[in-house]
Amino acid sequence: MTRKFCVLAALLAGCALPLLAVLPALADDPPVQVEQPPVRAEQPAAEEEKEETVTILRPGARGDMVKLLQQRLHDRGFYYGAMNGKYDVQTRYAVWGFQKSRRMRPMNAVGPKIWQEFERPRRLRPLVPDGPANRVEINLTDQLLTVYRRRRPVLTSHVSTGANVHYCEAGRCGYAITPVGDFKVYKRTPGWEKSPLGMMFDSLYFNGGIAMHGSSVVPTKPSSHGCVRVPVPTAVRLYEMVQVGEPVYVRGKS
């Protein structure tokens, strides 16, 4: 019995060897991975700021953003009104001028596209590339006036020129046309003056009774009797810059 028991024990031990040899391998197998739902990373603060709604400025708006708008327009020669943080009529005129200089339709609202344009190079092309270094150009097509100094544009203004209609007012009849051609400023009249056809401010005459002058009303469409209407604050700066004898070039068609 003892011998049989020993033999049986030896056989069992021998049969168990392969099983024992496998056990370490099973123990080395990697544990089963339980798939966890993905964890959403928090967005950086910078990305969150980009997703914020951009403020659209409109006439009547007030605050630091409007003041910044006025400063940007002034730095680029479009705005000469008060830095008051109020989106008033003079700010609106400057916005129109800037938009037209970038081939944009004049609109009152100032959104992301306008702010982007401030960061881009100026696109305005001279009407008279070979003209004098110091001159005034009036673009009837775009309704823009630009003053050049040393061949560089330093002032650009939204304007309203001749309405191209026949008129009879205050006993006078004629055609509301701003003539195309090459002219020179021959007369300057400071301050407000009353002409037969309306009030004029800081007038710069360049062709008979036709002048560049400040006006309280400068609509988007050609609406004058032939003169070149300019916003009053801009007219002040224009009058300071332009002297008698300054070349004036009028091009395009209103």
PDB file of all heavy atoms in Angstrom, residues 189-214:
ATOM      1  N   THR A 189     -13.157 130.683 -47.621  1.00  0.00           N
ATOM      2  CA  THR A 189     -14.061 131.465 -46.777  1.00  0.00           C
ATOM      3  C   THR A 189     -14.272 130.719 -45.465  1.00  0.00           C
ATOM      4  O   THR A 189     -14.915 129.669 -45.448  1.00  0.00           O
ATOM      5  CB  THR A 189     -15.417 131.686 -47.472  1.00  0.00           C
ATOM      6  OG1 THR A 189     -15.211 132.306 -48.738  1.00  0.00           O
ATOM      7  CG2 THR A 189     -16.314 132.575 -46.619  1.00  0.00           C
ATOM      8  N   PRO A 190     -13.743 131.248 -44.368  1.00  0.00           N
ATOM      9  CA  PRO A 190     -13.849 130.536 -43.081  1.00  0.00           C
ATOM     10  C   PRO A 190     -15.231 130.661 -42.455  1.00  0.00           C
ATOM     11  O   PRO A 190     -15.983 131.607 -42.715  1.00  0.00           O
ATOM     12  CB  PRO A 190     -12.797 131.236 -42.219  1.00  0.00           C
ATOM     13  CG  PRO A 190     -12.768 132.639 -42.754  1.00  0.00           C
ATOM     14  CD  PRO A 190     -12.981 132.504 -44.233  1.00  0.00           C
ATOM     15  N   GLY A 191     -15.554 129.701 -41.612  1.00  0.00           N
ATOM     16  CA  GLY A 191     -16.800 129.737 -40.856  1.00  0.00           C
ATOM     17  C   GLY A 191     -18.032 129.523 -41.712  1.00  0.00           C
ATOM     18  O   GLY A 191     -17.951 129.108 -42.869  1.00  0.00           O
ATOM     19  N   TRP A 192     -19.179 129.832 -41.116  1.00  0.00           N
ATOM     20  CA  TRP A 192     -20.454 129.669 -41.821  1.00  0.00           C
ATOM     21  C   TRP A 192     -20.742 130.855 -42.721  1.00  0.00           C
ATOM     22  O   TRP A 192     -20.502 131.991 -42.345  1.00  0.00           O
ATOM     23  CB  TRP A 192     -21.597 129.497 -40.829  1.00  0.00           C
ATOM     24  CG  TRP A 192     -21.615 128.171 -40.131  1.00  0.00           C
ATOM     25  CD1 TRP A 192     -21.189 127.905 -38.874  1.00  0.00           C
ATOM     26  CD2 TRP A 192     -22.089 126.933 -40.673  1.00  0.00           C
ATOM     27  NE1 TRP A 192     -21.355 126.568 -38.583  1.00  0.00           N
ATOM     28  CE2 TRP A 192     -21.911 125.937 -39.667  1.00  0.00           C
ATOM     29  CE3 TRP A 192     -22.643 126.548 -41.903  1.00  0.00           C
ATOM     30  CZ2 TRP A 192     -22.260 124.620 -39.850  1.00  0.00           C
ATOM     31  CZ3 TRP A 192     -22.994 125.224 -42.081  1.00  0.00           C
ATOM     32  CH2 TRP A 192     -22.804 124.266 -41.069  1.00  0.00           C
ATOM     33  N   GLU A 193     -21.241 130.576 -43.897  1.00  0.00           N
ATOM     34  CA  GLU A 193     -21.697 131.625 -44.807  1.00  0.00           C
ATOM     35  C   GLU A 193     -23.001 131.174 -45.449  1.00  0.00           C
ATOM     36  O   GLU A 193     -23.224 129.980 -45.671  1.00  0.00           O
ATOM     37  CB  GLU A 193     -20.652 131.908 -45.892  1.00  0.00           C
ATOM     38  CG  GLU A 193     -20.359 130.731 -46.815  1.00  0.00           C
ATOM     39  CD  GLU A 193     -19.460 131.121 -47.967  1.00  0.00           C
ATOM     40  OE1 GLU A 193     -19.616 132.233 -48.498  1.00  0.00           O
ATOM     41  OE2 GLU A 193     -18.600 130.304 -48.340  1.00  0.00           O
ATOM     42  N   LYS A 194     -23.847 132.134 -45.723  1.00  0.00           N
ATOM     43  CA  LYS A 194     -25.138 131.817 -46.338  1.00  0.00           C
ATOM     44  C   LYS A 194     -25.064 132.107 -47.820  1.00  0.00           C
ATOM     45  O   LYS A 194     -24.908 133.245 -48.247  1.00  0.00           O
ATOM     46  CB  LYS A 194     -26.256 132.640 -45.688  1.00  0.00           C
ATOM     47  CG  LYS A 194     -27.646 132.251 -46.174  1.00  0.00           C
ATOM     48  CD  LYS A 194     -28.729 133.011 -45.426  1.00  0.00           C
ATOM     49  CE  LYS A 194     -30.123 132.591 -45.898  1.00  0.00           C
ATOM     50  NZ  LYS A 194     -31.192 133.323 -45.168  1.00  0.00           N
ATOM     51  N   SER A 195     -25.189 131.067 -48.605  1.00  0.00           N
ATOM     52  CA  SER A 195     -25.201 131.219 -50.054  1.00  0.00           C
ATOM     53  C   SER A 195     -26.648 131.224 -50.532  1.00  0.00           C
ATOM     54  O   SER A 195     -27.554 130.888 -49.764  1.00  0.00           O
ATOM     55  CB  SER A 195     -24.435 130.065 -50.712  1.00  0.00           C
ATOM     56  OG  SER A 195     -25.199 128.867 -50.660  1.00  0.00           O
ATOM     57  N   PRO A 196     -26.889 131.595 -51.790  1.00  0.00           N
ATOM     58  CA  PRO A 196     -28.271 131.581 -52.302  1.00  0.00           C
ATOM     59  C   PRO A 196     -28.939 130.208 -52.223  1.00  0.00           C
ATOM     60  O   PRO A 196     -30.161 130.111 -52.202  1.00  0.00           O
ATOM     61  CB  PRO A 196     -28.102 132.035 -53.754  1.00  0.00           C
ATOM     62  CG  PRO A 196     -26.844 132.843 -53.761  1.00  0.00           C
ATOM     63  CD  PRO A 196     -25.958 132.164 -52.772  1.00  0.00           C
ATOM     64  N   LEU A 197     -28.124 129.151 -52.141  1.00  0.00           N
ATOM     65  CA  LEU A 197     -28.688 127.800 -52.162  1.00  0.00           C
ATOM     66  C   LEU A 197     -28.500 127.053 -50.853  1.00  0.00           C
ATOM     67  O   LEU A 197     -28.795 125.857 -50.781  1.00  0.00           O
ATOM     68  CB  LEU A 197     -28.069 127.006 -53.312  1.00  0.00           C
ATOM     69  CG  LEU A 197     -28.351 127.556 -54.718  1.00  0.00           C
ATOM     70  CD1 LEU A 197     -27.563 126.790 -55.764  1.00  0.00           C
ATOM     71  CD2 LEU A 197     -29.841 127.501 -55.021  1.00  0.00           C
ATOM     72  N   GLY A 198     -28.033 127.726 -49.822  1.00  0.00           N
ATOM     73  CA  GLY A 198     -27.895 127.045 -48.536  1.00  0.00           C
ATOM     74  C   GLY A 198     -26.695 127.503 -47.738  1.00  0.00           C
ATOM     75  O   GLY A 198     -25.926 128.366 -48.166  1.00  0.00           O
ATOM     76  N   MET A 199     -26.527 126.913 -46.562  1.00  0.00           N
ATOM     77  CA  MET A 199     -25.433 127.250 -45.670  1.00  0.00           C
ATOM     78  C   MET A 199     -24.183 126.431 -46.002  1.00  0.00           C
ATOM     79  O   MET A 199     -24.262 125.251 -46.334  1.00  0.00           O
ATOM     80  CB  MET A 199     -25.838 126.990 -44.220  1.00  0.00           C
ATOM     81  CG  MET A 199     -27.020 127.828 -43.744  1.00  0.00           C
ATOM     82  SD  MET A 199     -26.674 129.597 -43.766  1.00  0.00           S
ATOM     83  CE  MET A 199     -25.384 129.721 -42.520  1.00  0.00           C
ATOM     84  N   MET A 200     -23.038 127.106 -45.878  1.00  0.00           N
ATOM     85  CA  MET A 200     -21.757 126.479 -46.178  1.00  0.00           C
ATOM     86  C   MET A 200     -20.773 126.805 -45.057  1.00  0.00           C
ATOM     87  O   MET A 200     -20.792 127.906 -44.514  1.00  0.00           O
ATOM     88  CB  MET A 200     -21.220 126.966 -47.525  1.00  0.00           C
ATOM     89  CG  MET A 200     -22.172 126.750 -48.680  1.00  0.00           C
ATOM     90  SD  MET A 200     -21.706 127.687 -50.173  1.00  0.00           S
ATOM     91  CE  MET A 200     -20.142 126.927 -50.605  1.00  0.00           C
ATOM     92  N   PHE A 201     -19.903 125.834 -44.726  1.00  0.00           N
ATOM     93  CA  PHE A 201     -18.955 126.025 -43.632  1.00  0.00           C
ATOM     94  C   PHE A 201     -17.532 125.765 -44.104  1.00  0.00           C
ATOM     95  O   PHE A 201     -17.259 124.751 -44.749  1.00  0.00           O
ATOM     96  CB  PHE A 201     -19.304 125.087 -42.470  1.00  0.00           C
ATOM     97  CG  PHE A 201     -18.380 125.191 -41.306  1.00  0.00           C
ATOM     98  CD1 PHE A 201     -18.500 126.233 -40.403  1.00  0.00           C
ATOM     99  CD2 PHE A 201     -17.392 124.244 -41.099  1.00  0.00           C
ATOM    100  CE1 PHE A 201     -17.646 126.341 -39.317  1.00  0.00           C
ATOM    101  CE2 PHE A 201     -16.536 124.332 -40.010  1.00  0.00           C
ATOM    102  CZ  PHE A 201     -16.660 125.386 -39.119  1.00  0.00           C
ATOM    103  N   ASP A 202     -16.621 126.701 -43.780  1.00  0.00           N
ATOM    104  CA  ASP A 202     -15.203 126.572 -44.156  1.00  0.00           C
ATOM    105  C   ASP A 202     -15.074 126.177 -45.630  1.00  0.00           C
ATOM    106  O   ASP A 202     -14.568 125.090 -45.978  1.00  0.00           O
ATOM    107  CB  ASP A 202     -14.504 125.549 -43.258  1.00  0.00           C
ATOM    108  CG  ASP A 202     -14.063 126.156 -41.932  1.00  0.00           C
ATOM    109  OD1 ASP A 202     -14.299 127.359 -41.721  1.00  0.00           O
ATOM    110  OD2 ASP A 202     -13.498 125.425 -41.103  1.00  0.00           O
ATOM    111  N   SER A 203     -15.503 127.059 -46.480  1.00  0.00           N
ATOM    112  CA  SER A 203     -15.603 126.764 -47.922  1.00  0.00           C
ATOM    113  C   SER A 203     -14.267 126.928 -48.634  1.00  0.00           C
ATOM    114  O   SER A 203     -13.522 127.892 -48.397  1.00  0.00           O
ATOM    115  CB  SER A 203     -16.642 127.677 -48.563  1.00  0.00           C
ATOM    116  OG  SER A 203     -17.881 127.574 -47.890  1.00  0.00           O
ATOM    117  N   LEU A 204     -13.980 125.999 -49.529  1.00  0.00           N
ATOM    118  CA  LEU A 204     -12.792 126.031 -50.375  1.00  0.00           C
ATOM    119  C   LEU A 204     -13.261 125.983 -51.832  1.00  0.00           C
ATOM    120  O   LEU A 204     -13.611 124.928 -52.354  1.00  0.00           O
ATOM    121  CB  LEU A 204     -11.881 124.833 -50.063  1.00  0.00           C
ATOM    122  CG  LEU A 204     -11.329 124.766 -48.632  1.00  0.00           C
ATOM    123  CD1 LEU A 204     -10.776 123.368 -48.339  1.00  0.00           C
ATOM    124  CD2 LEU A 204     -10.247 125.820 -48.420  1.00  0.00           C
ATOM    125  N   TYR A 205     -13.271 127.139 -52.477  1.00  0.00           N
ATOM    126  CA  TYR A 205     -13.798 127.240 -53.849  1.00  0.00           C
ATOM    127  C   TYR A 205     -12.737 126.817 -54.856  1.00  0.00           C
ATOM    128  O   TYR A 205     -11.577 127.228 -54.776  1.00  0.00           O
ATOM    129  CB  TYR A 205     -14.229 128.672 -54.134  1.00  0.00           C
ATOM    130  CG  TYR A 205     -15.445 129.111 -53.345  1.00  0.00           C
ATOM    131  CD1 TYR A 205     -15.312 129.674 -52.078  1.00  0.00           C
ATOM    132  CD2 TYR A 205     -16.724 128.966 -53.882  1.00  0.00           C
ATOM    133  CE1 TYR A 205     -16.423 130.074 -51.345  1.00  0.00           C
ATOM    134  CE2 TYR A 205     -17.849 129.368 -53.156  1.00  0.00           C
ATOM    135  CZ  TYR A 205     -17.686 129.915 -51.894  1.00  0.00           C
ATOM    136  OH  TYR A 205     -18.791 130.311 -51.182  1.00  0.00           O
ATOM    137  N   PHE A 206     -13.176 125.980 -55.825  1.00  0.00           N
ATOM    138  CA  PHE A 206     -12.228 125.516 -56.838  1.00  0.00           C
ATOM    139  C   PHE A 206     -12.757 125.637 -58.261  1.00  0.00           C
ATOM    140  O   PHE A 206     -12.009 125.435 -59.218  1.00  0.00           O
ATOM    141  CB  PHE A 206     -11.805 124.069 -56.559  1.00  0.00           C
ATOM    142  CG  PHE A 206     -12.936 123.057 -56.609  1.00  0.00           C
ATOM    143  CD1 PHE A 206     -13.262 122.422 -57.798  1.00  0.00           C
ATOM    144  CD2 PHE A 206     -13.656 122.741 -55.469  1.00  0.00           C
ATOM    145  CE1 PHE A 206     -14.289 121.481 -57.848  1.00  0.00           C
ATOM    146  CE2 PHE A 206     -14.670 121.808 -55.510  1.00  0.00           C
ATOM    147  CZ  PHE A 206     -14.997 121.175 -56.704  1.00  0.00           C
ATOM    148  N   ASN A 207     -14.037 126.005 -58.435  1.00  0.00           N
ATOM    149  CA  ASN A 207     -14.583 126.165 -59.787  1.00  0.00           C
ATOM    150  C   ASN A 207     -15.826 127.047 -59.718  1.00  0.00           C
ATOM    151  O   ASN A 207     -16.922 126.567 -59.433  1.00  0.00           O
ATOM    152  CB  ASN A 207     -14.925 124.810 -60.391  1.00  0.00           C
ATOM    153  CG  ASN A 207     -15.448 124.923 -61.818  1.00  0.00           C
ATOM    154  OD1 ASN A 207     -15.161 125.892 -62.515  1.00  0.00           O
ATOM    155  ND2 ASN A 207     -16.215 123.942 -62.262  1.00  0.00           N
ATOM    156  N   GLY A 208     -15.658 128.336 -59.983  1.00  0.00           N
ATOM    157  CA  GLY A 208     -16.791 129.252 -59.896  1.00  0.00           C
ATOM    158  C   GLY A 208     -17.376 129.256 -58.497  1.00  0.00           C
ATOM    159  O   GLY A 208     -16.674 129.461 -57.505  1.00  0.00           O
ATOM    160  N   GLY A 209     -18.699 129.013 -58.409  1.00  0.00           N
ATOM    161  CA  GLY A 209     -19.351 128.977 -57.109  1.00  0.00           C
ATOM    162  C   GLY A 209     -19.337 127.608 -56.466  1.00  0.00           C
ATOM    163  O   GLY A 209     -20.003 127.397 -55.433  1.00  0.00           O
ATOM    164  N   ILE A 210     -18.615 126.674 -57.047  1.00  0.00           N
ATOM    165  CA  ILE A 210     -18.555 125.307 -56.508  1.00  0.00           C
ATOM    166  C   ILE A 210     -17.382 125.175 -55.544  1.00  0.00           C
ATOM    167  O   ILE A 210     -16.255 125.565 -55.861  1.00  0.00           O
ATOM    168  CB  ILE A 210     -18.441 124.279 -57.643  1.00  0.00           C
ATOM    169  CG1 ILE A 210     -19.712 124.333 -58.509  1.00  0.00           C
ATOM    170  CG2 ILE A 210     -18.228 122.878 -57.099  1.00  0.00           C
ATOM    171  CD1 ILE A 210     -19.692 123.421 -59.698  1.00  0.00           C
ATOM    172  N   ALA A 211     -17.682 124.629 -54.373  1.00  0.00           N
ATOM    173  CA  ALA A 211     -16.657 124.537 -53.333  1.00  0.00           C
ATOM    174  C   ALA A 211     -16.752 123.220 -52.581  1.00  0.00           C
ATOM    175  O   ALA A 211     -17.784 122.539 -52.587  1.00  0.00           O
ATOM    176  CB  ALA A 211     -16.822 125.698 -52.348  1.00  0.00           C
ATOM    177  N   MET A 212     -15.668 122.885 -51.917  1.00  0.00           N
ATOM    178  CA  MET A 212     -15.677 121.841 -50.893  1.00  0.00           C
ATOM    179  C   MET A 212     -16.033 122.563 -49.596  1.00  0.00           C
ATOM    180  O   MET A 212     -15.375 123.550 -49.251  1.00  0.00           O
ATOM    181  CB  MET A 212     -14.292 121.199 -50.761  1.00  0.00           C
ATOM    182  CG  MET A 212     -13.767 120.570 -52.030  1.00  0.00           C
ATOM    183  SD  MET A 212     -12.028 120.017 -51.839  1.00  0.00           S
ATOM    184  CE  MET A 212     -11.142 121.566 -52.099  1.00  0.00           C
ATOM    185  N   HIS A 213     -17.048 122.110 -48.893  1.00  0.00           N
ATOM    186  CA  HIS A 213     -17.445 122.838 -47.690  1.00  0.00           C
ATOM    187  C   HIS A 213     -18.133 121.909 -46.694  1.00  0.00           C
ATOM    188  O   HIS A 213     -18.700 120.866 -47.051  1.00  0.00           O
ATOM    189  CB  HIS A 213     -18.378 123.999 -48.039  1.00  0.00           C
ATOM    190  CG  HIS A 213     -19.720 123.583 -48.564  1.00  0.00           C
ATOM    191  ND1 HIS A 213     -20.758 123.197 -47.755  1.00  0.00           N
ATOM    192  CD2 HIS A 213     -20.194 123.502 -49.838  1.00  0.00           C
ATOM    193  CE1 HIS A 213     -21.819 122.898 -48.484  1.00  0.00           C
ATOM    194  NE2 HIS A 213     -21.498 123.071 -49.761  1.00  0.00           N
ATOM    195  N   GLY A 214     -18.123 122.333 -45.454  1.00  0.00           N
ATOM    196  CA  GLY A 214     -18.790 121.581 -44.412  1.00  0.00           C
ATOM    197  C   GLY A 214     -20.291 121.741 -44.493  1.00  0.00           C
ATOM    198  O   GLY A 214     -20.801 122.798 -44.880  1.00  0.00           O
TER     199      GLY A 214
END
